[in-house]
Amino acid sequence: MVNGENQSISILVSSTTFDSSFTNQRLKETEGDPHTYVVNARSWDVKPQNYSKERFYVFCGSGEIDPCIIDSYIEVNNILDSLGKDRVEEMSVKEAIEFIPTEIRNQIIDVPIDFLKDFKQNLLQSIQDIAGMTVAGEGKLFNNKELFNKAIYTPKEPAFLKDTFIISTKLETRPQDYINPNWKPEQPEKLRFMHCDQGISSDHYGLSCCYIDRIEINEDETVSIYVKFDFIITIIPPRPPAKIDISKVRSLIPWLTHNKGINWGKITYDQFQSQESMQELDKAGFPVDYQSVDRTDEAYLLMVDYIYEGKVKFPYNAEFEANMFNVVHYREKRKVDHTSTGGKDTSDSVVGSLYNAIKSDIYMSEVIQKDIDIIFEI
């Protein structure tokens, strides 16, 4: 303080990531303040000679529409539709962007073509980490409705007649009682992977099953694994004092083996109270293990990548959809959690199953066989 005036200087160096982040709130609070100086320089602004002059356009999102890569006037019209503005006729992207109101146009950035692959693989993370821009939403992990819908497939015969039901200690009903009698597993010779997010009294019980649909060896000799889900189910807790009957839920696994011919690659549970189920399945010879998708964000980020890359297919489950669009990504802590108004029991089971399949070494035998076949063809 000098003569009662604050002469100090404060420097804040940080990413903005989301609209609700601390840095972005500080930017909003000091907007127009002559004593505040803001620098937001991207790597290609600082060293333009290191990057291509060819650019592509990215919309960072708003409350009405998800972020997207703008590669034609059609995406511009989607943005104009969300704003209730008149559409544009066919024209170049650069020309069409000029018709977007200024306050929304500020959410559009031009990016060197060098980064196109990164933005296509993980749009939200690239907007934050590469472009240094905020994205709409309160730190949501995933908010691309279009890509989520593309990942949904409609089976010829669904595995379950209902994908949400109650299994109670006070009732005799078991999960297999909801199995569609006409259902036959696709590619029954493939090993199945399951993750169980076990709730008892208040939380839901998520249960999902998937398998490796196919494996492709790319031209650059990298391997692409495609995963398909047989089913995603949500078991709802009954009214107290009844609880979810864990033994009845557990009985589904041997039932699927004996009645549908399913062989298991790996079955995992998520918490300490699952020890009894794990012990019983282990004694019966099932490949069971412990896995948590809460400790880090790895499993959830894998699911997001697979949705963006079009390498996962799953039947529609309303609870899974609600979970995926509700969970929050705490990037600094590297964790994913639900909000106070939603859960993630079903999504935990889905991302856990996918993680089991992708991280398993079992699929490598198929890759090796493909290599052998290619060698013999040559």
Side-chain angles (χ1 to χ4, degrees), residues 219-230:
E219 292 182 359
D220 60 358
E221 297 186 358
T222 59
V223 176
S224 293
I225 306 171
Y226 293 81
V227 175
K228 197 170 187 179
F229 278 78
D230 292 296

Side-chain angles (χ1 to χ4, degrees), residues 40-326:
N40 185 10
R42 304 175 184 92
S43 57
W44 56 87
D45 296 326
V46 179
K47 294 184 177 181
Q49 69 275 12
N50 292 350
Y51 302 95
S52 170
K53 293 182 179 179
E54 185 181 355
R55 303 297 176 96
F56 65 97
Y57 294 90
V58 176
F59 176 55
C60 296
S62 67
E64 292 76 28
I65 190 168
D66 293 332
C68 65
I69 295 175
I70 304 177
D71 54 14
S72 77
Y73 75 98
I74 296 174
E75 282 80 19
V76 173
N77 278 335
N78 289 337
I79 297 172
L80 293 171
D81 287 345
S82 71
L83 300 172
K85 303 292 184 180
D86 293 335
R87 289 185 157 211
V88 298
E89 298 179 356
E90 185 173 355
M91 60 180 71
S92 70
V93 171
K94 190 173 182 179
E95 290 174 322
I97 287 174
E98 293 299 318
F99 287 86
I100 298 175
T102 305
E103 65 273 15
I104 299 298
R105 202 187 312 152
N106 291 335
Q107 285 295 100
I108 297 176
I109 54 176
D110 59 330
V111 183
I113 200 71
D114 314 63
F115 296 105
L116 182 59
K117 182 178 179 181
D118 298 285
F119 276 77
K120 283 186 174 181
Q121 286 185 343
N122 196 323
L123 182 60
L124 295 185
Q125 190 169 341
S126 295
I127 291 173
Q128 295 169 337
D129 294 346
I130 297 176
M133 292 286 289
T134 62
V135 293
E138 301 292 326
K140 296 297 177 65
L141 171 77
F142 181 78
N143 61 358
N144 195 312
K145 186 79 171 180
E146 180 182 358
L147 287 177
F148 184 86
N149 289 338
K150 284 183 178 179
I152 296 172
Y153 81 98
T154 303
K156 294 179 181 178
E157 292 286 350
F160 282 79
L161 300 173
K162 297 173 63 176
D163 59 21
T164 303
F165 45 82
I166 295 173
I167 299 297
S168 171
T169 52
K170 300 294 184 181
L171 300 172
E172 296 300 321
T173 310
R174 305 167 303 164
Q176 48 267 40
D177 295 331
Y178 292 99
I179 288 279
N180 181 354
N182 298 321
W183 174 60
K184 294 181 180 179
E186 295 182 21
Q187 302 185 59
E189 74 283 358
K190 296 287 184 72
L191 294 174
R192 262 50 181 187
F193 299 87
M194 175 180 283
H195 181 65
C196 310
D197 188 88
Q198 182 171 303
I200 298 178
S201 56
S202 58
D203 290 340
H204 292 177
Y205 192 134
L207 205 64
S208 302
C209 176
C210 69
Y211 62 96
I212 296 172
D213 182 31
R214 67 185 191 278
I215 296 172
E216 295 181 359
I217 301 176
N218 305 315
E219 292 182 359
D220 60 358
E221 297 186 358
T222 59
V223 176
S224 293
I225 306 171
Y226 293 81
V227 175
K228 197 170 187 179
F229 278 78
D230 292 296
F231 58 80
I232 302 169
I233 59 173
T234 306
I235 298 172
I236 304 172
R239 290 184 178 181
K243 297 180 179 181
I244 293 176
D245 194 319
I246 299 303
S247 63
K248 291 192 183 78
V249 179
R250 184 175 65 243
S251 71
L252 173 65
I253 294 171
W255 188 93
L256 287 170
T257 297
H258 298 145
N259 294 275
K260 296 295 181 178
I262 286 182
N263 293 313
W264 301 98
K266 194 173 189 180
I267 303 165
T268 54
Y269 283 81
D270 74 318
Q271 48 185 297
F272 178 76
Q273 64 190 31
S274 308
Q275 284 298 315
E276 181 184 0
S277 293
M278 293 173 62
Q279 289 175 4
E280 291 300 317
L281 290 171
D282 181 59
K283 286 191 292 185
F286 290 93
V288 64
D289 202 354
Y290 168 81
Q291 181 194 194
S292 172
V293 298
D294 294 325
R295 290 182 177 178
T296 71
D297 55 6
E298 184 180 0
Y300 267 92
L301 291 180
L302 181 67
M303 170 59 75
V304 170
D305 285 343
Y306 264 63
I307 293 176
Y308 269 100
E309 295 169 13
K311 296 195 296 188
V312 62
K313 291 290 183 182
F314 41 75
Y316 179 73
N317 178 287
E319 190 71 19
F320 171 52
E321 180 181 28
N323 287 182
M324 278 299 292
F325 285 94
N326 175 72

